[in-house]
Amino acid sequence: MTVAAAPTRRDSYVDFLRALSLIVVVLWHWAFTILDWRDDGPHATSPLGFTRGLWLATWLLQVMPLFFFIGGFVHLRTWEKARSRGVTMGAFIGRRMGQLLIPAGIVLLLWIGLGSLIGAYFNLTGVGRAVKLVVSPLWFLGVYLMLIALLPVSLWLHRKAGVLALVWLAGASMMVDVLRFGSDLEDIGWLNMVLVWGLAHQAGFFYQNVVDSPRRNDWALLWTGLFGLVGLVGSGLYPGSMVGVPGERFSNMAPPTFVIVALLAFQIGFAELLRPRMQVLLERPAGSGPTS
């Protein structure tokens, strides 16, 4: 399977999905985080732990799989444009990483510096924990930087194996779970930070193929992912929530488990099924009313 040629016209739906993903992340951490201030500082908990059935919302609102999928397409398209201008891979990676590292580094330094000053001036304990809670949602930027750095490997794997690369990455992530939970090798689970998010990123190289494929393929992706989620969660082997919940045996996100692979397929199918209607809304001139 080869990658379909990226359209020359900017895809407004891609921009929408990227923006929506970031907005959902911000709103999720704002609305679904409960702070419990103890002697050693703030501790975060979540209503997911004591609100029955609310974990189902994470199957749509845990948008990191979709975010990295779209990121893979954007990286591929941006690299192809840069290469056509004669930009080398090294220069491209350096520029992309700089665009993330500089603003993220400034934010981190400001919060660490501010926390240190407040803690020292008011002689407060737990400020370090508070700063950690503030900056911890930025973890995905670290993963994004890793995926940018691994872009030469991803492109090579794509050229050599095509869609088979997705099968290999999914299979490898499953084997990591088998070793992690079956052989009590907890630390090996962190390999899935590369395998699962690398799979989502690699899948993004096929974004245009998904867009151009028949609508029944979108339904196939949605149902494949949904059946996978129901089967894996319903088996009792994995938690139902796609985010970490205090009191659960482990989190499906830290590190990611094979459940996130099923979530990726479900979210890609869901997003593509929404595309026709959303594109009509996004491409409608500003200020125009609903069509009759």
Side-chain angles (χ1 to χ4, degrees):
M1 183 177 182
T2 59
V3 176
T8 55
R9 182 166 170 264
R10 190 176 182 91
D11 190 330
S12 59
Y13 195 49
V14 167
D15 295 333
F16 168 76
L17 289 175
R18 295 178 77 191
L20 179 66
S21 297
L22 295 176
I23 291 170
V24 168
V25 169
V26 172
L27 291 179
W28 177 270
H29 284 90
W30 176 71
F32 286 87
T33 300
I34 300 173
L35 293 180
D36 177 20
W37 201 284
R38 306 174 190 172
D39 292 338
D40 60 344
H43 291 253
T45 186
S46 170
L48 294 172
F50 53 81
T51 306
R52 185 175 181 180
L54 189 58
W55 54 267
L56 275 170
T58 65
W59 291 17
L60 284 176
L61 297 179
Q62 174 49 278
V63 292
M64 283 296 104
L66 187 64
F67 177 79
F68 289 124
F69 168 73
I70 295 298
F73 169 69
V74 172
H75 285 159
L76 177 64
R77 185 176 62 178
T78 308
W79 160 241
E80 288 174 344
K81 291 180 178 178
R83 184 178 58 182
S84 67
R85 299 193 303 267
V87 178
T88 65
M89 176 63 79
F92 175 77
I93 291 176
R95 181 180 178 184
R96 297 286 289 179
M97 294 186 74
Q99 290 172 337
L100 283 177
L101 277 172
I102 293 174
I106 292 173
V107 171
L108 286 173
L109 288 174
L110 283 175
W111 274 106
I112 292 171
L114 183 63
S116 300
L117 287 173
I118 292 175
Y121 185 81
F122 294 101
N123 193 26
L124 296 175
T125 59
V127 175
R129 178 180 287 275
V131 171
K132 182 180 178 181
L133 285 175
V134 171
V135 302
S136 59
L138 297 177
W139 67 267
F140 73 94
L141 292 179
V143 176
Y144 211 67
L145 288 167
M146 174 192 72
L147 296 173
I148 294 173
L150 291 175
L151 186 59
V153 178
S154 300
L155 291 172
W156 175 84
L157 189 60
H158 179 71
R159 289 193 301 269
K160 294 294 184 180
V163 72
L164 188 57
L166 305 181
V167 178
W168 289 341
L169 288 168
S173 67
M174 178 185 288
M175 293 307 300
V176 165
D177 276 8
V178 170
L179 292 173
R180 176 185 173 187
F181 301 120
S183 301
D184 199 23
L185 299 174
E186 186 63 30
D187 289 343
I188 201 173
W190 292 102
L191 281 176
N192 272 347
M193 292 293 286
V194 179
L195 296 173
V196 172
W197 299 131
L199 166 63
H201 185 261
Q202 193 90 13
F205 295 167
F206 295 96
Y207 170 85
Q208 198 59 46
N209 297 85
V210 175
V211 173
D212 295 338
S213 67
R215 191 167 176 81
R216 63 176 177 271
N217 289 4
D218 302 332
W219 283 107
L221 280 169
L222 182 142
W223 283 109
T224 297
L226 185 58
F227 284 138
L229 286 168
V230 171
L232 292 167
V233 171
S235 69
L237 297 175
Y238 296 90
S241 173
M242 298 299 114
V243 300
V245 177
E248 289 280 10
R249 293 169 294 142
F250 58 88
S251 167
N252 279 317
M253 283 290 291
T257 64
F258 184 74
V259 171
I260 303 300
V261 176
L263 183 65
L264 171 66
F266 171 69
Q267 290 188 347
I268 293 173
F270 185 83
E272 285 305 307
L273 287 169
L274 289 180
R275 170 186 292 277
R277 179 58 180 165
M278 288 306 305
Q279 281 189 319
V280 171
L281 295 175
L282 292 169
E283 295 173 6
R284 180 181 298 166
S288 63
T291 58
S292 56

